[in-house]
Amino acid sequence: MSSALLSDLRARGLIFQIAGEDTLADWLDTEPRTLYCGFDPTADSLHIGSLVPVLMLRRFQLAGHRPLALVGGATGLIGDPSFKASERNLNTPDVVANWVNKLQHQVSQFIDFEGENSAKVVNNLDWTTGMDVLTFLRDVGKHFSINNMIQKESVKQRIEREGSGISFTEFTYMILQSYDFSELYLHHDCGLQIGGSDQWGNITGGIDLTRRLHGGQVFGLTMPLVEKADGTKFGKTETGTIWLDAHKTSPYSFYQFWLNTSDKDVYKFLRYFTFLSVEKIAEIEEADAQREGRPEGQQILADEVTQLVHGAEGLAAAQRITQALFVGEAYTLGPDDLEQLALDGLPTTPLKSSEIAPTLTQLLSDVGMVTSGKQVKDALKNRAVFINGVPVEGAPPIDTALCFRSENALHGKYWIVRLGKKKYHLFTAE
RNA sequence: GGAGGGGUUCCCGAGUGGCCAAAGGGAUCAGACUGUAAAUCUGACGCGAAAGCUUCGGUGGUUCGAAUCCACCUCCCUCCA
């Protein structure tokens, strides 16, 4: 059945490279196996870049294997140099420890901790923190050849490129991660490490070390980097990174992100980010190709992924807002509906008449709709600013008191400001 | 420790005394066209409604005037020891 897993992954395009390809399918087929994937705390939340590996763990678990999610309490203190253009700043131990906590919790929601192949979260700080330098150098470092390490593609650009460089600290990262694999092999019988394609060098390092230290034969599997057809970076928008934490990226914004996926990417993303079968996705693609006009792929993608990350409630909230703003006429909603939208996560700001910003440009940049007043000016020129559906006329400065009068409010206290086609903000009278 | 090269606005990268808020590209935002897609075209892109204000690693200095010259400091890179 697991070779079925591999062929499904292959059909999804989720396999980039495999170490031990000849025997991996057999190994997976004979009995439930343990595998791991590492997540380093580089922020207080994972972002959608980590979603592919996280979901990969789940795919293996659904196929009957046991996933370990490793949180890099130790490696997060060092910083992975793989394919990074420059050295990064070190974060303080207490900051990293705090992030570790958050990641543990976050990763946990995607894998199942019940049943026979229950998942486990481990932290590599547990086995590195007590190790002294000499032991590390003699027992671990001795197995690594510098000649070999500097050959790795992942650090080559740092070593060869003029104007950059790599510290010993970051260079050592690979050894730490390799040691993780050998430890998990020893104590958890973990025989497979998965990761993004940038992790190939680190993974093969771990495979070599495990063989040298324990004579164990272990496997590695990497997933392709998520790339967009237009070549721009996946997972970033004007607002910045798309986080998995609902407090950092609301389910609504998250949902909108997927809904805005390009046609060229949407079916690939369905294969990457959902558990819909490859056949089902092919059907959707086929149906979209037949249909005139707007395809359904984005809708399905947004529904599926939002459900996975934010649950049924988060999805429902995101859909309610989307429905109200983009499908219906938002300014025909009743007061209860508007309250609900605010609760659902539509960006909302109460207006206190005493401390309201005097100009519209200032107000909109204060609430984060735009990053500078210039954008508002630009939008005004294009008649792209609307309050409750009515375009705002004129050029800045525009008096906010005139814009937000109770006469033009919905139900006496609501104003929906729209800037451009997609940005909405709800203001309420206090 | 020695010798040399470098730190420019989100990123890359021009700019070597006034014409510089600083070329060009990318990213981003808005408009048109569309389907909340792509491509294309248009506009914006340090802050400010404007007057104006604040930027070119840091601090001082020279000058009527500095991103550009000088001094010191700091960080990075290359080679040598």
Side-chain angles (χ1 to χ4, degrees):
Chain A
M1 83 183 176
S2 282
S3 48
L5 170 65
L6 282 185
S7 58
D8 177 57
L9 295 180
R10 209 165 259 127
R12 289 176 180 276
L14 277 173
I15 297 181
F16 186 70
Q17 279 173 300
I18 296 180
E21 182 147 22
D22 302 341
T23 44
L24 180 60
D26 285 345
W27 182 77
L28 286 170
D29 275 346
T30 41
E31 56 182 283
R33 300 293 188 174
T34 301
L35 73 149
Y36 99 93
C37 181
F39 301 93
D40 269 3
T42 53
D44 60 359
S45 166
L46 294 173
H47 51 84
I48 53 175
S50 305
L51 207 48
V52 170
V54 173
L55 295 178
M56 194 66 147
L57 285 180
R58 185 182 166 96
R59 291 180 201 282
F60 273 89
Q61 186 170 39
L62 290 173
H65 301 288
R66 190 162 82 100
L68 303 176
L70 179 147
V71 177
T75 36
L77 291 168
I78 303 303
D80 185 359
S82 297
F83 298 98
K84 300 278 179 349
S86 57
E87 188 89 7
R88 287 180 299 163
N89 292 328
L90 294 174
N91 296 305
T92 60
D94 54 323
V95 166
V96 173
N98 180 30
W99 290 350
V100 164
N101 277 334
K102 300 209 162 146
L103 293 206
Q104 278 175 337
H105 185 75
Q106 213 165 36
V107 169
S108 303
Q109 75 183 82
F110 295 95
I111 42 184
D112 197 348
F113 291 84
E114 307 288 322
E116 287 192 2
N117 57 339
S118 62
K120 198 171 156 83
V121 176
V122 294
N123 183 347
N124 58 15
L125 194 61
D126 292 344
W127 54 82
T128 42
T129 195
M131 181 183 280
D132 65 275
V133 200
L134 293 178
T135 309
F136 176 73
L137 290 175
R138 289 176 63 96
D139 295 356
V140 185
K142 196 69 177 169
H143 296 288
F144 287 83
S145 133
I146 291 286
N147 312 34
N148 204 324
M149 286 170 76
I150 59 177
Q151 293 301 321
K152 303 260 181 186
E153 206 55 50
S154 49
V155 292
K156 227 172 196 171
Q157 68 171 117
R158 283 281 286 282
I159 292 172
E160 288 175 358
R161 188 186 178 215
E162 180 90 10
S164 68
I166 183 167
S167 68
F168 178 71
T169 305
E170 282 199 9
F171 189 59
T172 312
Y173 182 93
M174 183 195 303
I175 300 182
L176 276 187
Q177 184 169 331
S178 299
Y179 186 65
D180 289 344
F181 201 176
S182 72
E183 277 293 296
L184 292 176
Y185 169 78
L186 193 62
H187 298 295
H188 295 275
D189 195 27
C190 174
L192 170 66
Q193 180 181 177
I194 64 172
S197 57
D198 57 335
Q199 292 301 307
W200 181 251
N202 295 333
I203 292 175
T204 53
I207 293 174
D208 289 342
L209 183 65
T210 305
R211 190 181 56 247
R212 290 188 179 136
L213 285 179
H214 311 298
Q217 153 78 63
V218 291
F219 299 89
L221 185 155
T222 60
M223 292 149 269
L225 204 70
V226 181
E227 282 173 327
K228 293 205 292 178
D230 63 7
T232 58
K233 200 170 168 131
F234 170 75
K236 301 267 186 191
T237 65
E238 32 117 13
T239 346
T241 308
I242 306 293
W243 303 95
L244 300 189
D245 186 335
H247 300 294
K248 289 171 76 82
T249 299
S250 73
Y252 162 66
S253 310
F254 187 85
Y255 185 79
Q256 285 288 322
F257 169 80
W258 295 103
L259 209 54
N260 279 302
T261 305
S262 146
D263 289 2
K264 284 182 184 149
D265 294 319
V266 68
Y267 307 104
K268 179 168 88 173
F269 288 1
L270 278 167
R271 288 190 290 272
Y272 279 8
F273 295 102
T274 74
F275 288 85
L276 298 173
S277 72
V278 185
E279 294 76 24
K280 175 72 184 162
I281 294 167
E283 278 172 30
I284 296 167
E285 184 166 8
E286 178 66 20
D288 280 346
Q290 301 292 320
R291 184 181 302 112
E292 294 279 314
R294 186 181 184 159
E296 260 182 1
Q298 282 87 341
Q299 175 80 57
I300 298 169
L301 178 68
D303 286 352
E304 290 287 325
V305 185
T306 307
Q307 162 95 39
L308 271 171
V309 175
H310 294 297
E313 267 181 47
L315 173 60
Q319 284 174 330
R320 273 197 297 272
I321 301 177
T322 299
Q323 190 73 22
L325 297 181
F326 290 94
V327 181
E329 299 284 7
Y331 43 87
T332 62
L333 293 174
D336 293 346
D337 295 329
L338 290 165
E339 284 297 333
Q340 183 62 46
L341 290 188
L343 289 174
D344 283 346
L346 177 68
T348 304
T349 307
L351 291 177
K352 290 200 183 84
S353 48
S354 50
E355 50 193 59
I356 184 174
T359 63
L360 191 63
T361 43
Q362 201 180 333
L363 178 68
L364 298 190
S365 46
D366 284 352
V367 301
M369 272 186 97
V370 291
T371 49
S372 94
K374 284 263 168 40
Q375 293 180 21
V376 178
K377 190 180 170 188
D378 189 41
L380 282 168
K381 204 172 65 194
N382 289 320
R383 281 172 54 97
V385 182
F386 299 84
I387 296 177
N388 290 337
V390 181
V392 178
E393 304 286 348
I398 289 191
D399 188 351
T400 35
L402 286 169
C403 294
F404 299 95
R405 284 163 298 136
S406 49
E407 299 96 272
N408 68 358
L410 298 173
H411 313 291
K413 59 178 290 205
Y414 300 98
W415 298 269
I416 296 174
V417 174
R418 179 180 133 206
L419 191 149
K421 249 183 304 195
K422 301 184 203 169
K423 290 181 184 168
Y424 288 91
H425 200 101
L426 178 65
F427 291 91
T428 61
E430 268 294 292

